[in-house]
Structures are given as C-alpha cells and as structure tokens.
C-alpha cells in the first residue's frame, strides 16, 4: 500500500491485528446509532454472526472464498493511487480453476491455475488476495468511523451496508488515524457484507497528509459476484 510506504505494511498489519487480539471480546459503539460495529477477531465474527442484523465485517472471508470457492464466483479489485498508479485484478474462480487478468504499471498478465496443481493455485490466490487492504480496515475496525446503514441487495445477495467516515471519529479514534497516516488524513467508504459478515463489496478512499505537506490519495474498490464472466469498471 503506497500510503503506508514509510513503514513495513506486513509489520503494520501484524501490530494492529495483535492490538485487536488484546481487546478481543470488547467492542465500541457508534455514537450515531449506538450499534456495536465490527467483530474484534475472526472468532468473534463467528459469534457475532448469530446476530444477523449486525454481524460485523470479516475481511478474511474474501481470502477463504477465493482459496476454497464453494461455487463459481467473479472477483474484481481496483486500486488507484493518484495521479500515477492503477492496479486492476479480474478473475473467474471455480472450485477447480482460476482464470483472470492483472493490469498494472508493468503491463497485462494472465492468471491461470488449477487446483490439482498446488503451486499454480497458491500463486493465483496470493496474487488475488495480496492487495487486500487489511491495514486500512484494521485502522477503522471497532471505531466510531463505522456505522451500520441498512440493508441492500448486491449482486443477488442480501447484504448489510456499513458506512466508513473518519470525520466522525471520537478524539481517541482520530488519534490513531493521525498517528499512522498524518494529521488531517482520512478514510472514507462503504462495505457490504452478508448476514454472516462476509464482504461482498467495499469502496475505500484514503487521503494521507505527510509532514512535508504532500497529500497522497488512494481509491480502492472490490467486489465478488456469483456471475462468472462479469466485468466491473
């Protein structure tokens, strides 16, 4: 993730996820709706699923669906770092095969994998799941930035919609964003999840204000669809 280029992304994500584990079992409430938002760990997500009206968001579910697709699905991902970089992933994923395309600054590359070839399969899964913005979701997880916003049907699935906006953060939650991304930085977007918490679609806009006065903006969107062969823009 370019907006976290001053630190190791993997180390950053590990630190945040470890912090989440420390507060496992705890939750925060949205001042706007007084609803508990996001589960603190994957285990808590499973527990929260019992309350289908507000299951929280499970990012790991995306990786699980790609790794072990129970049925055919289409997966799309796009990241734009203004003004210079665009990465796009498209893939049709079946229980026994993956076929897709990667488009980035180095050109266009095909993704082909069959489950019977573990090396090709694992490489394809890594390409498709590697860009997932775990660090971004970790920064807003359990925070006042996230509010449940009703229900919507997305790609034929009944989903629960969450809105994300760090401008409504409490001072304590804003402190994390400012310390990691810089003062006046922001994260905004939306996430749609199934009643079990599995992400169907998300849209995120991240704006980072560096100490040198520069501003970097990143737009990320992704979704999965039961319709093989569909193409998202």
């Amino acid at each position: 993730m370019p907006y976290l280029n001053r630190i190791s992304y993997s180390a950053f994500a590990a630190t945040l996820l470890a912090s989440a584990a420390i507060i496992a079992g705890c939750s925060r409430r949205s001042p706007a709706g007084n609803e508990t938002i996001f589960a603190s760990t994957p285990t808590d997500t499973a527990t929260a699923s019992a309350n289908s009206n507000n299951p929280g968001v499970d990012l790991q579910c995306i990786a699980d669906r790609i790794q072990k697709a129970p049925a055919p699905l289409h997966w799309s991902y796009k990241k734009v770092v203004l003004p210079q970089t665009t990465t796009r992933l498209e893939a049709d994923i079946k229980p026994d095969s993956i076929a897709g395309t990667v488009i980035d600054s180095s050109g266009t590359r095909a993704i082909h994998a069959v489950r019977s070839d573990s090396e090709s399969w694992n490489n394809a899964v890594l390409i498709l799941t590697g860009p997932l913005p775990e660090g971004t979701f970790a920064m807003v997880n359990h925070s006042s930035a996230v509010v449940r916003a009703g229900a919507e049907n997305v790609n034929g699935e009944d989903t629960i919609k969450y809105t994300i906006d760090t401008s409504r953060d409490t001072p304590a939650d804003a402190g994390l964003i400012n310390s990691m991304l810089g003062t006046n930085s922001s994260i905004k977007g939306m996430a749609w999840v199934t009643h079990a918490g599995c992400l169907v679609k998300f849209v995120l806009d991240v704006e980072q204000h560096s100490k040198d006065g520069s501003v970097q903006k990143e737009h990320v969107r992704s979704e999965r669809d039961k319709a093989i062969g569909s193409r998202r823009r």
Side-chain angles (χ1 to χ4, degrees):
M1 290 175 83
Y3 60 87
L4 294 176
N5 56 10
R6 290 173 293 182
I7 59 176
S8 164
Y9 172 70
S10 58
F12 165 76
T15 299
L16 285 176
L17 293 175
S19 298
I22 293 174
I23 60 172
C26 299
S27 61
R28 296 182 183 174
R29 293 181 178 272
S30 160
N34 291 323
E35 296 176 332
T36 303
I37 51 179
F38 288 87
S40 58
T41 66
T43 299
D44 290 339
T45 299
T47 302
S49 296
N51 179 6
S52 61
N53 289 323
N54 194 22
V57 174
D58 181 3
L59 190 63
Q60 179 59 39
C61 179
I62 296 177
D64 292 343
R65 289 290 179 95
I66 293 174
Q67 173 69 29
K68 302 175 182 178
L73 64 95
H74 180 78
W75 172 249
S76 65
Y77 175 91
K78 182 180 181 180
K79 178 172 69 175
V80 179
V81 182
L82 297 175
Q84 73 278 19
T85 305
T86 299
T87 300
R88 185 192 296 271
L89 303 174
E90 295 273 357
D92 287 329
I93 302 162
K94 300 178 181 180
D96 59 356
S97 66
I98 296 175
T101 303
V102 180
I103 303 174
D104 57 22
S105 58
S106 64
T108 301
R109 305 184 305 280
I111 305 172
H112 290 294
V114 291
R115 186 175 291 278
S116 58
D117 180 350
S118 60
E119 182 176 358
S120 72
W121 190 266
N122 291 335
N123 285 339
V125 171
L126 181 61
I127 291 171
L128 295 174
T129 61
L132 289 175
E134 293 177 273
T136 303
F137 274 104
M139 279 188 284
V140 296
N141 225 356
H142 320 286
S143 80
S144 48
V146 183
V147 174
R148 186 177 179 273
E152 288 186 15
N153 187 282
V154 177
N155 298 334
E157 295 192 67
D158 292 329
T159 71
I160 295 169
K161 179 181 178 180
Y162 291 98
T163 63
I164 304 166
D165 188 347
T166 54
S167 68
R168 59 181 171 230
D169 266 345
T170 62
D173 292 332
L176 173 62
I177 303 301
N178 291 336
S179 64
M180 300 308 301
L181 298 183
T183 303
N184 297 322
S185 295
S186 65
I187 300 173
K188 297 182 179 182
M190 292 172 285
W192 292 260
V193 306
T194 67
H195 289 273
C198 188
L199 271 168
V200 175
K201 178 180 178 180
F202 67 81
V203 181
L204 289 174
D205 286 286
V206 181
E207 184 173 299
Q208 180 182 5
H209 292 247
S210 300
K211 290 182 179 180
D212 62 7
S214 63
V215 178
Q216 183 165 278
K217 297 181 180 181
E218 180 172 308
H219 174 78
V220 185
R221 64 183 298 127
S222 187
E223 65 182 293
R224 61 180 174 85
D225 192 334
K226 296 177 181 178
I228 287 291
S230 63
R231 287 292 180 266
R232 306 286 171 188
R233 291 190 176 186

